[in-house]
Amino acid sequence: MAVKSTEKPNFTRKGSEGEEVAIGIRVPHAEGPWGTWGTSTGSCNSKAKCTRTIGMFNLTRPSQFILLGLSSRPQDQKPLFILFLVMYLVTLMGNVLIILAIHSDPRLQNPMYFFLSILSFADICYATVIVPKMLMNFLSETKSIAYAECLTQMYFFLVFGNIDSYLLAAMAIDRYVAICNPFHYITIMSHRRCVLLLSFSIAFSCLHSLVHVLLVNRLTFCASNVIHHFFCDVNPVLKLSCSSTSINELVAMTEGMASVMAPFACIVISYLQILLTVLKIPSAAGKHKAFSTCSSHLTVVTLFYGSISYVYFQPLSSYTVNNRVATIMYTVLTSMLNPFIYSLRNKDMKRGLGKLIIKIKSQIDKLSSTEPNKIGGS
């Protein structure tokens, strides 16, 4: 008969070669995050690693995870809350201004700014998937996240991260056509083709993310429910599994790497073609103008892919605390910096933002002037 318990057991036990062992496991149950006890049997191989087969109960999933966050020290929580709240508000405000400036200025109605407006929207969603929950956990003692909520966060994190990646590739293609084939730019980068590129980016990102989340959902968790991260990223969750993650790692290193490297290869090839074309321009002013149109995009690509490469292109066993800091780069920091990078280094965007600010000021002045008239009339 199963005995109910609310304390976490010690699941690991060393055994000699070929020895049959009995391991107590806790099966998640509606009454608590770790449910009831069961037993499992297994055998130890020559390296003293135990392989388990479930006996009394099938292992299921925990009802919740604990997100350890960036720091476990209580005195760090409020300063971190203020820091990330400011970063989140700046991200929202900056990207919303970029979207409004592009849609309000007729001069910015071209493929490059179409993709930039979608990138700004994706960055807002990307940050919103992660930061609000992180802010709540800074002020919470439990720092918990429900299992379903964890997988949902993981899914949308992967979706918007991949959309960002493919949008950066689409923007590189746009720059390549504009510089290397300017006379056919309008024909090649038609609105229809831009929408097709966007549709492919969204569809593939959704399918890619669904595959990884379903593979995580098939895993069993029996030892710990503490995620050493500030959100439900794939690798930290995989490290908690007591079942084999070989399929997950294989898919991540094949399909996952291909989904990241394909747009990156597209960016590299586009810029190599741009470089060869620009070097043929005789005047220094012409070269500078061509390169200036690409500088903002190259800066964002470097920040985004540099941090992603550091975090994900390494074995699961080598995942450390430093990866959390690198993750901030492409999840929060890049989303916040994108509006500044594209506006400060782009004359058209500066002009568009200037017009938008003038419009907003004029609307505020109209509203402020009508209020006294209403009061006087009444």
Side-chain angles (χ1 to χ4, degrees):
M1 181 177 178
V3 180
K4 293 181 181 178
S5 172
T6 56
E7 296 179 0
K8 290 175 67 175
N10 182 10
F11 294 96
T12 58
R13 169 158 125 50
K14 292 184 178 179
S16 60
E17 183 175 347
E19 177 191 6
E20 289 291 323
V21 293
I23 304 169
I25 60 171
R26 189 176 285 152
V27 181
H29 189 267
E31 296 181 8
W34 288 101
T36 59
W37 281 84
T39 59
S40 69
T41 59
S43 59
C44 296
N45 60 20
S46 58
K47 293 182 180 179
K49 292 183 179 178
C50 296
T51 59
R52 308 171 196 177
T53 56
I54 305 307
M56 288 175 61
F57 298 105
N58 289 325
L59 278 174
T60 54
R61 58 187 67 94
S63 61
Q64 65 181 21
F65 287 112
I66 305 298
L67 292 169
L68 198 61
L70 293 172
S71 173
S72 58
R73 298 191 302 176
Q75 63 268 29
D76 293 339
Q77 304 307 305
K78 286 186 179 179
L80 285 171
F81 173 83
I82 295 169
L83 173 64
F84 281 94
L85 177 62
V86 171
M87 291 174 71
Y88 182 57
L89 293 175
V90 171
T91 300
L92 293 180
M93 189 181 300
N95 284 290
V96 167
L97 284 174
I98 290 289
I99 294 169
L100 293 175
I102 290 171
H103 286 277
S104 63
D105 191 345
R107 292 186 180 183
L108 300 179
Q109 303 301 312
N110 61 50
M112 176 184 175
Y113 296 107
F114 167 76
F115 287 123
L116 179 56
S117 65
I118 302 299
L119 181 67
S120 294
F121 176 74
D123 282 339
I124 290 172
C125 297
Y126 201 26
T128 303
V129 167
I130 297 168
V131 179
K133 183 62 181 179
M134 181 167 58
L135 293 174
M136 289 172 60
N137 285 342
F138 282 140
L139 302 180
S140 172
E141 291 184 3
T142 58
K143 302 184 187 300
S144 62
I145 182 169
Y147 180 84
E149 186 184 351
C150 181
L151 290 191
T152 303
Q153 186 185 57
M154 184 186 297
Y155 174 77
F156 284 106
F157 158 73
L158 291 171
V159 166
F160 291 113
N162 278 273
I163 288 174
D164 267 12
S165 179
Y166 282 94
L167 285 174
L168 290 173
M171 293 169 77
I173 293 170
D174 174 80
R175 291 300 82 206
Y176 160 72
V177 177
I179 294 171
C180 301
N181 203 353
F183 297 111
H184 296 91
Y185 178 73
I186 296 174
T187 307
I188 296 171
M189 297 302 295
S190 64
H191 182 70
R192 179 176 172 273
R193 285 180 180 170
C194 290
V195 171
L196 283 173
L197 278 172
L198 176 61
S199 301
F200 169 79
S201 302
I202 295 171
F204 184 83
S205 298
C206 290
L207 289 173
H208 162 83
S209 305
L210 185 62
V211 168
H212 285 273
V213 170
L214 289 176
L215 285 174
V216 170
N217 191 46
R218 57 178 276 279
L219 299 176
T220 54
F221 303 89
C222 57
S224 173
N225 66 338
V226 179
I227 299 175
H228 292 265
H229 215 321
F230 55 88
F231 72 102
C232 289
D233 199 359
V234 178
N235 284 350
V237 173
L238 291 183
K239 291 191 78 171
L240 299 182
S241 175
C242 57
S243 56
S244 175
T245 60
S246 57
I247 296 176
N248 300 70
E249 292 182 57
L250 178 64
V251 172
M253 294 304 291
T254 52
E255 186 273 342
M257 187 174 289
S259 68
V260 174
M261 292 307 296
F264 182 71
C266 184
I267 292 169
V268 171
I269 292 168
S270 296
Y271 275 108
L272 285 175
Q273 293 293 328
I274 289 170
L275 180 63
L276 293 173
T277 302
V278 170
L279 291 176
K280 294 175 183 177
I281 299 174
S283 65
K287 290 178 180 178
H288 176 73
K289 185 178 180 180
F291 279 127
S292 64
T293 62
C294 304
S295 58
S296 300
H297 182 254
L298 274 173
T299 305
V300 174
V301 167
T302 304
L303 280 172
F304 186 78
Y305 279 100
S307 52
I308 279 183
S309 300
Y310 178 80
V311 173
Y312 292 105
F313 292 173
Q314 56 180 318
L316 180 61
S317 57
S318 60
Y319 199 88
T320 62
V321 176
N322 292 334
N323 295 81
R324 284 184 250 171
V325 179
T327 305
I328 293 172
M329 287 287 293
Y330 70 87
T331 54
V332 182
L333 198 61
T334 304
S335 299
M336 184 187 74
L337 292 177
N338 278 357
F340 296 100
I341 294 170
Y342 281 107
S343 60
L344 295 176
R345 306 190 70 175
N346 189 303
K347 290 181 181 179
D348 292 333
M349 277 305 308
K350 283 182 183 179
R351 191 185 301 112
L353 285 169
K355 288 181 178 180
L356 179 64
I357 291 169
I358 291 170
K359 284 183 182 179
I360 292 171
K361 283 183 178 179
S362 64
Q363 291 295 323
I364 293 171
D365 291 339
K366 284 181 181 179
L367 288 171
S368 59
S369 63
T370 55
E371 286 297 324
N373 293 334
K374 287 182 179 179
I375 295 170
S378 62

